[in-house]
């Protein structure tokens, strides 16, 4: 059988109902009468004190336990720096409100050294890992990113924040979204000194949180809990600097917090490569499309617009605003707007070694220069309206717009055995594109009078348009034929797509510890891609000759209906979720030009899922999840039109593509020792995809004419997507953190392993590109005082590349990256800062193997009585060695690339830090 369907065992639970109660309340600070978010709440059974449940208070200090058995309980509230508070609770009715519990700050004052040695560093509360910010010392001007990267299990890799081995997708402040889905912006602009706790958790969808049944659509998130007394007022900084080579950097980060109302203003203008880009900035101007999983996927064209923070040199102007508030007792609102304009100059070189057995020793070298201007706007909003105790509506509109202009000149050569030239292209391309993406989600939630019975429906619509023009002039030489060709053409591509989907879910309680959910999910995606290519007519000096091989008009639609159920069983120790869905899908493609062609296929799939979680204790748990999903090909992958942006490397779509079917297994173990300050996280992930959409590549050894009339000469390539089985993707990650009391520091250790197997066809031969590797490292972060802050780290990764074709291309390579950062405040205002980053590459191609040391340093002085003004002289890349090298591995080749970067410059910067906090807020929601 083409598909492998795991067995699904149906559960028929007994319909026995128990008397249950919902218990809720609020925690308040005794001194300033402010709510206390992030407080730990335990509900302990009086009859058996080993039976208890835990939760934490939300941004308003509120908590709730749902579906508790009638009986007598002790409710215990605790928070770092406060005395714990206990109260007696008798659950004898369906709803119990204990009101407001007042907790007071601890009167026990410990010496600083005792505090550092006994402070709680990490707590594991169910699925939430909670860090005490005061246990991780940073300098007074540090931001949230500086703070969290000292915490065990949290790392900064390639400019992205990872927690417990997974990418952090969103950051919240006191439970409210902060700058949409851009975690880097949130962490870089929240001062560390206002943070009380950092919580790392798996964020479920709004619909899953309401029903209480995990639908698997989770993402790693961070919640920043602000300190009482520092979450009301105005705080932030304004800075400006100028340096050698006309380098400049100016900006502001200002937070205006007033009770529930939170306003953050951001701005920057610089030419030192601070770009603040995210995926959302570029989605609107590229032809991404939705697959069967319901998420828009990045198209191949998008990769060319991604801005590498180390690659190229950029001038950037950006502005952002984030707003959140509570309007009355029923409406909560949050939203943000972000604008970015970046001018980027990039010079790059790359080398590709191909896996073809027939064309052994084939390599491709390329050098390119490009300049681009990218303008982005993105806006998102979330409105939650609690109509009454039974009805809630959540509305989430989003809008993004992008325009891009890019001019590039590229020189590419194919060589045999690294010396014999096969072909060459000189390519001059100008592109001008714009696009937008607009979406809206409406979630309606209804609670029935019967406890735990609920109904919800989530409706989403998303539309995007991309329009781009390209002018191309290419000179192509084929040494084997001793001839050359010229391409002089103009093309216009217009792509649009609309996706509409809904999810209806009905949850019915069974026994006191179990429930069943029925769901129905219809969706439809419609898209169109219309490309017109005109060749130059030398007679009238106009682009008036249509090239039918490079022109096409293609409509695509993907319709699916998914219906299924989930059974849930929850106890103090065990959480179990088992479900199965049946999905019927139709894929329809209609090529209107250059010739009429209709594609229509139906798919029937069974999609099982399973989740099991075992809680050894409140601080130690194990989880495993198995899921399946399908993904449909995009309109660009289906459209049978040749892309000749590189005349030596042609590509086209394949109208015969099927959807892919993936199996995913995920497991995680976490534990924390509060008394000793130790924590351990183990994460493992594996996926296998059938009918994986990969590429078949033709590398001709002589002139070849394809079925559509395309001519391939020796020294060219032709790539087309196909379906193949055998795609594997696995990774593991282990992190262990502990305090080193003698050094007054925190040590975080990490290690991991990866394995990727990608199938492909090369000249009708099957190749499996296998890439496996191990990685590990440590971070030692100081915990001495706010005046001495240092981080020392070492990370290394060793990769093994092998493939079933051309074994001589197998390769092992090592990347080592030690680094150190020191910030020292001397006396009353002198600030010394230096950081070192050493990179060594071993095992790449000969010209790319190198090592370099990036050394930056600064000296500053803080002035005024409150030290709010700082004058700083900084030097970037003191040794003049900065460089950017990377390796990527595909199913058909290994590629090494190098890109220009900033080199040494000096800059004098003035910074004003604003810190005005209110002891008691004027407005408390």
């Amino acid at each position: 059988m083409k598909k492998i369907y795991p067995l699904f065992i149906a559960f028929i639970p007994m319909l026995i109902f128990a008397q249950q109660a919902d218990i809720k309340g609020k925690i308040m600070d005794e001194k300033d009468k402010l709510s206390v978010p992030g407080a730990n709440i335990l509900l302990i059974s009086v009859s058996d004190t080993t039976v208890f449940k835990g939760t934490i208070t939300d941004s308003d200090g509120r908590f709730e336990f749902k579906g508790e058995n009638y009986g007598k309980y002790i409710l215990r509230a605790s928070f770092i720096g406060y005395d714990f508070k206990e109260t007696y609770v008798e659950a004898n009715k369906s709803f119990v409100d204990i009101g407001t519990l007042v907790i007071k700050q601890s009167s026990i004052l410990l010496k600083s050294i005792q505090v550092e040695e006994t402070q709680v560093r990490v707590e594991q509360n169910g699925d939430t890992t909670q860090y005490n910010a005061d246990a991780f010392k940073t300098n007074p001007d540090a931001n949230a990113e500086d703070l969290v990267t000292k915490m065990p299990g949290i790392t900064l890799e390639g400019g992205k924040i990872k927690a417990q081995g997974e990418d952090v997708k969103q950051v919240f402040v006191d439970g409210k979204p902060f700058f949409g889905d851009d975690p880097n912006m949130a962490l870089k602009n929240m001062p560390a000194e206002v943070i009380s706790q950092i919580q790392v958790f798996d964020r479920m969808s709004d619909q899953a949180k309401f029903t209480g049944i995990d639908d698997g659509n989770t993402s790693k998130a961070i919640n920043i809990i602000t300190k009482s007394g520092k979450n009301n007022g105005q705080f932030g900084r304004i800075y400006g600097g100028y340096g050698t080579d006309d380098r400049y950097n100016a900006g502001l980060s200002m937070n205006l917090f007033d009770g529930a109302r939170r306003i953050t203003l951001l701005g920057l203008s610089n030419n030192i490569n601070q770009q603040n880009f995210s995926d959302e900035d570029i989605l609107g101007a590229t032809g991404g499309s939705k697959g069967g999983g319901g998420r828009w996927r990045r198209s191949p064209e998008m990769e060319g617009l991604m801005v590498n923070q180390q690659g190229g040199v950029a001038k950037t102007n950006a502005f952002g605003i984030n707003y959140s508030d509570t309007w009355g007792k029923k409406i909560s609102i949050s939203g943000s707007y972000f604008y970015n304009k970046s001018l980027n100059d990039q010079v790059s070189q790359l080398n590709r070694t191909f896996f073809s057995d027939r064309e052994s020793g084939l390599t491709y070298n390329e050098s390119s220069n490009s300049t681009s201007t990218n303008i982005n706007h993105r806006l998102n909003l979330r409105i939650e309206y609690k109509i009454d105790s039974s009805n809630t509506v959540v509305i989430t509109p989003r809008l993004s717009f992008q325009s891009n202009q890019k001019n590039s000149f590229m020189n590419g050569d194919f060589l045999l055995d690294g010396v014999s030239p096969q072909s060459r292209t000189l390519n001059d391309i100008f592109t001008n594109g714009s696009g937008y993406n607009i979406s809206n989600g409406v979630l309606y939630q209804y609670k029935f009078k019967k406890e735990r019975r609920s109904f919800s429906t989530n409706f989403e619509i998303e539309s995007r348009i991309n329009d781009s023009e390209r002018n191309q002039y290419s000179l192509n030489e084929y040494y084997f034929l001793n001839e050359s060709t010229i391409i002089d053409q103009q093309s216009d591509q217009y792509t649009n797509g609309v996706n509409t989907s809904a999810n209806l879910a009905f949850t019915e309680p069974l026994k006191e510890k179990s429930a069943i959910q029925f769901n129905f999910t219809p969706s439809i995606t419609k898209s169109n891609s219309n490309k017109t290519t005109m060749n130059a007519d030398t007679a009238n000096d106009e682009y008036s000759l249509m090239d039918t091989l490079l022109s096409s008009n293609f409509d695509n639609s993907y319709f699916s209906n998914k219906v299924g159920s989930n059974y849930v069983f929850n106890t103090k120790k065990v959480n179990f979720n088992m479900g199965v869905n049946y999905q019927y899908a139709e894929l329809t493609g209609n090529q209107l030009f250059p010739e009429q062609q209709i594609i229509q296929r139906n798919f029937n799939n069974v999609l099982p899922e399973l989740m099991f979680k075992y809680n050894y204790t409140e601080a130690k748990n194990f989880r495993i999840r198995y899921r399946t999903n399908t993904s449909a090909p995009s309109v660009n992958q289906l459209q049978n039109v040749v892309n000749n942006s590189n005349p030596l490397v042609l590509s086209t779509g394949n109208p015969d593509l099927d959807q892919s079917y993936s199996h995913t297994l995920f497991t995680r173990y976490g534990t924390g020792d509060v008394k000793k300050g130790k924590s351990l996280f183990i994460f493992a992930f594996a996926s296998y995809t059938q009918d994986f959409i990969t590429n078949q590549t033709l590398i001709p050894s002589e002139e070849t004419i394809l079925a559509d009339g395309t001519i391939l000469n020796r020294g060219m390539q032709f790539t087309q997507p196909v379906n193949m089985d055998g795609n594997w993707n696995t990774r593991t990650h282990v992190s262990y953190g502990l305090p080193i009391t003698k050094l007054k520091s925190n040590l975080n250790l990490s290690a991991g392993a990866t394995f990727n197997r990608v199938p492909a066809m090369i000249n009708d031969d099957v190749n499996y590109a296998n890439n496996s590797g191990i990685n590990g490292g440590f971070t030692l972060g100081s915990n001495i005082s706010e005046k001495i802050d240092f981080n020392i780290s070492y990370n290394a990764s060793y990769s093994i590349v092998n493939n079933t074709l051309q074994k001589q291309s197998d390769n092992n390579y090592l990347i080592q990256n030690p680094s150190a950062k020191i910030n020292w405040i001397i006396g009353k205002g002198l600030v010394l800062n230096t950081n070192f980053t050493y990179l060594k590459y071993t095992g790449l191609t000969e010209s790319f193997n190198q090592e370099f040391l990036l050394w930056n340093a600064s000296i500053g002085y803080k002035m005024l009585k409150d030290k709010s003004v700082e004058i700083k002289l900084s030097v970037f890349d003191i040794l003049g060695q900065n460089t950017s090298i990377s390796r990527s591995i595909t199913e058909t080749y290994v590629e090494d690339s190098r890109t220009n970067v900033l080199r040494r410059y000096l800059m004098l910067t003035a910074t004003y830090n604003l810190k005005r906090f209110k002891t008691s807020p004027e407005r408390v929601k």
Side-chain angles (χ1 to χ4, degrees), residues 59-85:
S59 59
D60 297 320
R62 302 184 185 278
F63 64 88
E64 184 174 7
F65 293 93
K66 293 185 178 182
E68 303 302 324
N69 293 335
Y70 277 19
K72 299 177 180 179
Y73 297 91
I74 295 172
L75 189 141
R76 178 182 297 166
S78 62
F79 191 68
I80 297 169
Y82 288 77
D83 294 331
F84 73 84
K85 183 72 174 281

Side-chain angles (χ1 to χ4, degrees), residues 310-330:
Q310 281 190 316
V313 178
K315 297 179 181 179
T316 303
N317 296 292
F319 171 78
I321 181 171
N322 188 82
Y323 172 84
S324 65
D325 200 0
T326 301
W327 296 349
K329 296 182 179 180
K330 293 187 176 183

Side-chain angles (χ1 to χ4, degrees), residues 27-29 34-39 57-62 79 82 103:
I27 305 299
M28 179 181 290
D29 183 289
L34 291 173
S35 60
V36 182
T57 55
D58 63 16
S59 59
D60 297 320
R62 302 184 185 278
F79 191 68
Y82 288 77
I103 61 176

